[in-house]
C-alpha cells in the first residue's frame, strides 16, 4: 500500500499506465472501453486497412449509430429519411467496418441502440475504475461513474483500434466542491451552467475536474451524467464523480455489468479521493447561489439566471449579443422563442423527459413554438412510452421522435432556422451549432418545457405543479 | 507524416476568442468519410453571406491571404467538439500553424497529428500579432521560436515528444505499435492480478 494520499484521478491514471511518462515521451495509457459512432470512425478504420493492421481488442470496442441518423420513423416505403446520401453512406460504412473487424454494433434493429453516452451507462458497459474513450468530446459523461473518460480525435480512434492504448500527458486536477441543497426547480443542468459561468469556458483547460461535495453526492446518476457531460464546455479534459451507493444501485442488474457484481463493488470502492490528497486547484460553489440558469451568448460560459439580464460587456459579449439579437442589458425573461429541443446526451434520459412532461402535462405548447422531444436511446423511448410520456408530449403539440443526437448537432436534418431562437437542453450554444444563423439558449428540461408553453424565455418554477417523479404513477393510475 | 522544421509565411488574423470547432467546420459537413477536401467548408458560416456568396470581408476570402500558412487567432482557439475534421479543414486550406494565447486541449492534440503547429504565445505578443495582420513570421520547430519581421524572437512551449515527431516526421501510431510487448505485458499482468470481476466481460 502506498501511504501517499491519492486523488481519484491519480488512481485511475496509475491503474492504466502501460508505461509512465518521461520528459521525452508521454505516458502510454491503456483503454478499457472504446465507443465508436459513424461520424468520427471511418477515417480511422481506413487507416487500419491501409496499414493492414488488425483491431487489437474487438471485445473492448462497441459501436452505435446516433449522430447522422434520422429521427423520423422509417417511411411507408421502408426507407430512412437521411439528410443526404453521404449520411447514409456513413452509417453503411460503420456497419461494414464493424462486420469486418468483429465489433459489436448497436444497429437500428437493436433495442439497445442510443446516443453513445446514453447507451454506455444504460447497458452497464460504463463502470467505475475504467478508462473510456470515444471520438466525441462529451465522453466526459461517463466520468459520472468514476471512470476516466474523455473525447479523442479520429487519429486517436485509430490508435485505440490498433493498440488499445493512447499516448497521453498527465493533466492537472481541479476539484469543484458544491455544497448545500438545490432549490426546487433547480437541477443538474442549472448547476453545471452555473459552474461554467464561474470558472469560464476555458477554466478547465488542461485539467480533469472532480466534482465533490454534498450537492453532488445527493444527485442521481442521471443528474451526475448531466454535470460531467458538460465538463468539456469549460475546456476540461474530463469530469469525475467518485462512485458510491448511488452508482452501485444504478448499475446493479444492468446487462453488461460483471457477473459477480458484489465482488466488483468491492473493487470499485477503491476509486475515490483519499483524505488529504492534493488537487492542483480547488473551487467552491454554494448550491444556494444557483437559480434556474440559461446561456444568453454564443459559448456555454455566457450564462445568467433567467431572472437576470444580458451582459452589458463589450468585446466578446457584444459580439455574442449581436449574433443572438439581444440589446445590452435586456431582460432574459420574455424573449420570444421559436423552437424548443429536449434531447441530447446532456438531457435525454428518462428523468429528463419526465421533467419536461411534468410541465407539458395538461398544457399546450405555444402556437409560435415548434418543440421536439428526442429520447436518448431506444430503451429511454420504450420506458417513456410505457409511462405515457409520448402521449403527454404529443397532446401538448410537440413532436415525439426516434432516438439520436438530432438538433444537438443538427447534422441529420433536424435544424433550427436562421435567426430563430431555440431553447435547447443540449450542451453547445455556438454560432450555427443548430443550423446556420440559429440562436441557441441552453437550459434544463424543466426550463425548456416551460419556455415551450410560455412561448418565451421564462423561469420554470411557476410551472412546477406536478412532482416529476410522480408522473409515472399518475400515468399508470 | 512529413517532417516539419520551419514555417515561413505571412499571417492571417481572426481576432475572435473561443473560436470553436463548429465555426472551423460546421457539423453539416461532417457526413464525409474522407480526410481530404474539407478546406472549402472551413469557416463556412463566416465565409459566406446569407445568399451563399463569399463574404468579401472574411480574411480567408481576400486575395492577399491566399497561400498564407499561419493563422493568428483570439484566445481559446479550437474549443468544443473533438472533431479532427477541424485540423483537416485548416491544413486543407494550406495552414501549417495556429498561434493563440490559448489553444483547446483536444484541438491541440489533433493538430499535432496532422502537421498543424499549435503555438501558444503570451497575451502581449499575441495581441501585437492580432493587431498586425499580414506580417511575415518564421517559426522554427527545432528552436521552438517565432521570429518577427523586426528580428525579435519569442519562444513557445512544445512537448519534447511532439517536437521529435514533427522534426522526424514520426507517426504516433507507428510509435505505439512498437510498444506491443509492453501492452501485452500490461494486459497479461492485469488479468492475473485483478479479480475476475474487474476483467472486461459481462454476464450476458
Ligand atoms: S447528443 Fe450532441 S453532444 Fe451528445 S454525442 Fe450527440 S452530438 Fe455529441
Amino acid at each position: 500500500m502506498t501511504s501517499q494520499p491519492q486523488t481519484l484521478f491519480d488512481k485511475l491514471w496509475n491503474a492504466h499506465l502501460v508505461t509512465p511518462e518521461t520528459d521525452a515521451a508521454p505516458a502510454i495509457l491503456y483503454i478499457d472501453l472504446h465507443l465508436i459512432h459513424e461520424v468520427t470512425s471511418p477515417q480511422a478504420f481506413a487507416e487500419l486497412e491501409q496499414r493492414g493492421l488488425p483491431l487489437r481488442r474487438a471485445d473492448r470496442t462497441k459501436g452505435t449509430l446516433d449522430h447522422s441518423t434520422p429521427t423520423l420513423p422509417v417511411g411507408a416505403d421502408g426507407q430512412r429519411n437521411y439528410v443526404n446520401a453521404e449520411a447514409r453512406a456513413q452509417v453503411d460504412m460503420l456497419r461494414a467496418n464493424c462486420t469486418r473487424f468483429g465489433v459489436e454494433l448497436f444497429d437500428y434493429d437493436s433495442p439497445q441502440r442510443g446516443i453513445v453516452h446514453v447507451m454506455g451507462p444504460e447497458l452497464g458497459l460504463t463502470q467505475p475504475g475504467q478508462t473510456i474513450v470515444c471520438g466525441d468530446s462529451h465522453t466526459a459523461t461517463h466520468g459520472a461513474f468514476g471512470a476516466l473518460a474523455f473525447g479523442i480525435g479520429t487519429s486517436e480512434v485509430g490508435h485505440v483500434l490498433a493498440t488499445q492504448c493512447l499516448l497521453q500527458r498527465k493533466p492537472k486536477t481541479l476539484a469543484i466542491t458544491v455544497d448545500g441543497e438545490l432549490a426546487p426547480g433547480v437541477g443538474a443542468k442549472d448547476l453545471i451552467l452555473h459552474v461554467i459561468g464561474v470558472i469560464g469556458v476555458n477554466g478547465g483547460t488542461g485539467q480533469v475536474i472532480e466534482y465533490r461535495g454534498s450537492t453532488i453526492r445527493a444527485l442521481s446518476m442521471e443528474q451526475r451524467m448531466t454535470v460531467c457531460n458538460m465538463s468539456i464546455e469549460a475546456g476540461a479534459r474530463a469530469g469525475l464523480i467518485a462512485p458510491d451507493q448511488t452508482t452501485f444501485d444504478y448499475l446493479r442488474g444492468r446487462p453488461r455489468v460483471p457477473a459477480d457484481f458484489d465482488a466488483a463493488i468491492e473493487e470499485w470502492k477503491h476509486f475515490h479521493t483519499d483524505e488529504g490528497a492534493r488537487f492542483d486547484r480547488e473551487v467552491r460553489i454554494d448550491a444556494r447561489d444557483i437559480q434556474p440558469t440559461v446561456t444568453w451568448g454564443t459559448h456555454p460560459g455566457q450564462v445568467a439566471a433567467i431572472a437576470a439580464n444580458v451582459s452589458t460587456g463589450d468585446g466578446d459579449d457584444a459580439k455574442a449579443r449581436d449574433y443572438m439579437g439581444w440589446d445590452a442589458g435586456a431582460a432574459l425573461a420574455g424573449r420570444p422563442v421559436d423552437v424548443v429541443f429536449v434531447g441530447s446526451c446532456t438531457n435525454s434520459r428518462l428523468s429528463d423527459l419526465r421533467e419536461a412532461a411534468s410541465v407539458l402535462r395538461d398544457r399546450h405548447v405555444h402556437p409560435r413554438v415548434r418543440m421536439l422531444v428526442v429520447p436518448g436511446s431506444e430503451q429511454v423511448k420504450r420506458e417513456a412510452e410505457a409511462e405515457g410520456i409520448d402521449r403527454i408530449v404529443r397532446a401538448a403539440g410537440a413532436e415525439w421522435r426516434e432516438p439520436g443526437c438530432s438538433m444537438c448537432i443538427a447534422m441529420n436534418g433536424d435544424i433550427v432556422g436562421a435567426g430563430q431562437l431555440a431553447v435547447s437542453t443540449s450542451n453547445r450554444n455556438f454560432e450555427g451549432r443548430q443550423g446556420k444563423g440559429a440562436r441557441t439558449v441552453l437550459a434544463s428540461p424543466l426550463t425548456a418545457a416551460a419556455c415551450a408553453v410560455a412561448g418565451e424565455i421564462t423561469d420554470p418554477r411557476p410551472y412546477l405543479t406536478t412532482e416529476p417523479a410522480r408522473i409515472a404513477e399518475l400515468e399508470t393510475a | 507524416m512529413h517532417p516539419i522544421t520551419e514555417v515561413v509565411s505571412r499571417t492571417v488574423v481572426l481576432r475572435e476568442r473561443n473560436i470553436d470547432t463548429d465555426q472551423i467546420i460546421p457539423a453539416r459537413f461532417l457526413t464525409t468519410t474522407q480526410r481530404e477536401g474539407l478546406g472549402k467548408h472551413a469557416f463556412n458560416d463566416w465565409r459566406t453571406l446569407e445568399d451563399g456568396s463569399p463574404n468579401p470581408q472574411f480574411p480567408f476570402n481576400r486575395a492577399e491571404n491566399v497561400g498564407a500558412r499561419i493563422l493568428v487567432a483570439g484566445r481559446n482557439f479550437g474549443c468544443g467538439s473533438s472533431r479532427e475534421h477541424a485540423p483537416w479543414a485548416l491544413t486543407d486550406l494550406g495552414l501549417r500553424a495556429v498561434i493563440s494565447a490559448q489553444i483547446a486541449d483536444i484541438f491541440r492534440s489533433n493538430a499535432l497529428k496532422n502537421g498543424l503547429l499549435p503555438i501558444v504565445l503570451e497575451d502581449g505578443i499575441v495581441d501585437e500579432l492580432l493587431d498586425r495582420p499580414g506580417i511575415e513570421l518564421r517559426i522554427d520547430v527545432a528552436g521552438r521560436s517565432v521570429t518577427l519581421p523586426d528580428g525579435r524572437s519569442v519562444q513557445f512551449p512544445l512537448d519534447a515528444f511532439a517536437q521529435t515527431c514533427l522534426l522526424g516526421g514520426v507517426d504516433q501510431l507507428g510509435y505505439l505499435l512498437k510498444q506491443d510487448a509492453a501492452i501485452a505485458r500490461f494486459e497479461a499482468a492485469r488479468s492475473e492480478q485483478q479479480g475476475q470481476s474487474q476483467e472486461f466481460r459481462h454476464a450476458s
Side-chain angles (χ1 to χ4, degrees):
Chain A
M1 294 304 292
T2 74
S3 51
Q4 187 77 6
Q6 291 184 306
T7 63
L8 167 57
F9 167 75
D10 290 329
K11 291 179 184 179
L12 289 163
W13 179 264
N14 292 336
H16 293 89
L17 276 182
V18 173
T19 56
E21 68 179 336
T22 63
D23 284 347
I28 298 178
L29 201 65
Y30 194 77
I31 303 303
D32 293 320
L33 175 64
H34 185 197
L35 299 166
I36 58 175
H37 62 80
E38 72 277 20
V39 179
T40 54
S41 67
Q43 298 87 349
F45 278 110
E47 178 97 36
L48 246 61
E49 283 188 42
Q50 275 159 22
R51 298 188 188 220
L53 294 170
L55 198 165
R56 186 180 181 96
R57 293 297 296 263
D59 59 331
R60 292 181 182 274
T61 315
K62 305 287 166 193
T64 189
L65 307 172
D66 54 4
H67 282 65
S68 43
T69 57
T71 56
L72 286 170
V74 176
D77 55 358
Q79 294 298 309
R80 278 175 210 279
N81 187 21
Y82 283 100
V83 65
N84 57 31
E86 250 187 12
R88 180 191 306 274
Q90 207 171 46
V91 165
D92 290 343
M93 187 168 286
L94 180 59
R95 193 176 287 133
N97 282 328
C98 286
T99 306
R100 169 161 182 186
F101 288 94
V103 172
E104 182 180 18
L105 173 66
F106 295 88
D107 205 330
Y108 290 120
D109 57 4
S110 165
Q112 296 172 322
R113 185 186 68 88
I115 301 175
V116 61
H117 312 308
V118 176
M119 187 186 85
E122 199 170 66
L123 292 180
L125 284 166
T126 302
Q127 295 166 19
Q130 289 181 330
T131 44
I132 303 177
V133 297
C134 174
D136 190 291
S137 57
H138 292 97
T139 308
T141 313
H142 307 261
F145 291 79
L148 179 59
F150 52 92
I152 56 177
T154 296
S155 293
E156 290 181 324
V157 170
H159 295 180
V160 181
L161 291 175
T163 68
Q164 204 58 33
C165 288
L166 282 175
L167 290 162
Q168 291 286 304
R169 287 286 180 194
K170 192 173 181 180
K172 298 214 175 308
T173 53
L174 163 62
I176 296 185
T177 306
V178 192
D179 280 311
E181 212 175 314
L182 290 171
V186 177
K189 184 62 159 289
D190 303 299
L191 189 159
I192 188 62
L193 287 173
H194 179 87
V195 165
I196 300 166
V198 170
I199 70 171
V201 69
N202 52 0
T205 303
Q207 299 155 74
V208 167
I209 301 174
E210 183 181 338
Y211 301 95
R212 303 153 59 79
S214 62
T215 317
I216 303 296
R217 294 262 73 86
L219 297 177
S220 70
M221 284 317 294
E222 288 82 356
Q223 293 169 321
R224 292 179 188 185
M225 284 188 256
T226 301
V227 170
C228 286
N229 174 276
M230 290 192 70
S231 304
I232 180 72
E233 278 10 293
R237 209 62 185 100
L240 292 172
I241 295 175
D244 59 11
Q245 198 57 42
T246 304
T247 321
F248 309 145
D249 290 345
Y250 174 96
L251 285 171
R252 188 181 290 276
R254 299 211 171 243
R256 302 303 178 94
V257 296
D260 190 348
F261 192 75
D262 292 315
I265 289 180
E266 288 314 306
E267 286 170 27
W268 293 342
K269 283 182 176 164
H270 163 71
F271 290 100
H272 64 87
T273 292
D274 295 330
E275 194 69 37
R278 298 281 287 271
F279 292 89
D280 294 304
R281 194 180 147 212
E282 298 199 42
V283 171
R284 292 194 164 269
I285 307 257
D286 186 338
R288 285 162 303 189
D289 293 341
I290 307 174
Q291 294 182 44
T293 300
V294 292
T295 60
W296 56 265
T298 53
H299 69 64
Q302 288 169 321
V303 301
I306 297 171
N309 295 53
V310 171
S311 149
T312 53
D314 47 18
D316 299 336
D317 283 6
K319 185 173 168 280
R321 274 199 311 270
D322 190 42
Y323 180 84
M324 293 294 291
W326 292 110
D327 291 329
L332 281 160
R335 169 92 186 254
V337 169
D338 304 295
V339 177
V340 171
F341 169 60
V342 173
S344 92
C345 58
T346 314
N347 286 120
S348 66
R349 287 169 282 269
L350 186 60
S351 55
D352 302 310
L353 305 190
R354 280 179 179 162
E355 286 189 8
S358 74
V359 172
L360 294 180
R361 190 184 168 80
D362 299 329
R363 293 200 177 97
H364 208 276
V365 172
H366 191 279
R368 123 169 26 102
V369 175
R370 175 189 185 206
M371 182 179 189
L372 242 68
V373 181
V374 188
S377 70
E378 300 287 348
Q379 183 173 327
V380 169
K381 179 168 177 260
R382 268 194 314 281
E383 289 173 354
E385 290 181 351
E387 292 183 8
I389 290 176
D390 59 325
R391 295 197 299 280
I392 294 174
V393 165
R394 287 204 175 97
E399 297 173 49
W400 177 254
R401 292 295 188 95
E402 298 297 312
C405 297
S406 183
M407 269 187 190
C408 171
I409 189 163
M411 62 178 291
N412 73 333
D414 298 344
I415 60 165
V416 176
Q420 289 194 315
L421 189 86
V423 176
S424 298
T425 66
S426 46
N427 41 52
R428 289 193 169 133
N429 54 339
F430 298 148
E431 285 183 28
R433 170 78 175 185
Q434 296 194 281
K436 186 175 178 183
R439 295 158 165 168
T440 302
V441 169
L442 300 177
S444 74
L446 278 177
T447 300
C451 294
V453 170
E456 58 186 40
I457 295 180
T458 191
D459 193 307
R461 285 175 289 198
Y463 292 83
L464 302 180
T465 49
T466 314
E467 284 288 320
R470 285 189 52 230
I471 274 274
E473 303 161 31
L474 290 168
E475 267 308 307
T476 45
Chain B
M1 213 171 75
H2 300 296
I4 304 180
T5 51
E6 66 168 17
V7 179
V8 181
S9 166
R10 56 182 275 122
T11 62
V12 183
V13 166
L14 293 175
R15 298 190 60 93
E16 286 79 2
R17 296 179 182 204
N18 305 310
I19 295 178
D20 56 78
T21 53
D22 277 85
Q23 301 322 312
I24 300 171
I25 178 87
R28 57 191 180 281
F29 303 114
L30 303 187
T31 49
T32 179
T33 53
Q34 311 292 315
R35 290 171 187 251
E36 295 77 25
L38 285 165
K40 60 180 177 291
H41 302 306
F43 301 107
N44 183 82
D45 294 358
W46 290 354
R47 253 169 124 176
T48 52
L49 295 171
E50 301 260 305
D51 61 1
S53 64
N55 172 2
Q57 300 304 322
F58 190 67
F60 283 100
N61 289 339
R62 300 178 72 88
E64 71 266 26
N65 289 329
V66 170
R69 292 175 168 272
I70 301 173
L71 171 64
V72 182
R75 171 174 276 280
N76 198 26
F77 184 84
C79 61
S81 131
S82 60
R83 63 190 68 161
E84 200 161 316
H85 308 70
W88 294 338
L90 297 183
T91 52
D92 200 46
L93 272 185
L95 292 174
R96 293 294 171 266
V98 178
I99 298 177
S100 176
Q102 188 179 35
I103 297 182
D105 290 337
I106 308 179
F107 179 86
R108 197 189 54 228
S109 159
N110 285 339
L112 281 168
K113 293 177 182 67
N114 290 279
L116 181 67
L117 294 170
I119 295 178
V120 174
L121 299 177
E122 284 179 6
D123 280 298
I125 188 78
V126 174
D127 287 345
E128 185 181 333
L129 297 178
L130 288 170
D131 287 341
R132 299 170 62 197
I135 60 171
E136 187 169 282
L137 299 180
R138 182 172 166 274
I139 301 170
D140 175 8
V141 177
R144 297 185 173 110
S145 66
V146 178
T147 308
L148 282 76
D150 59 12
R152 272 180 300 155
S153 176
V154 286
Q155 297 293 124
F156 60 89
L158 180 64
D159 180 83
F161 181 76
Q163 188 185 39
T164 308
C165 292
L166 289 166
L167 290 172
V170 175
D171 120 74
Q172 297 192 11
L173 176 54
Y175 174 88
L176 265 176
L177 286 165
K178 288 201 196 110
Q179 315 299 317
D180 183 66
I183 299 169
R185 267 198 309 278
F186 178 88
E187 285 178 327
R190 219 164 57 140
S191 56
E192 256 173 48
Q193 132 218 126
Q194 294 188 334
Q196 274 249 302
S197 59
Q198 187 79 1
E199 261 302 272
F200 190 84
R201 58 184 183 74
H202 45 79
S204 64

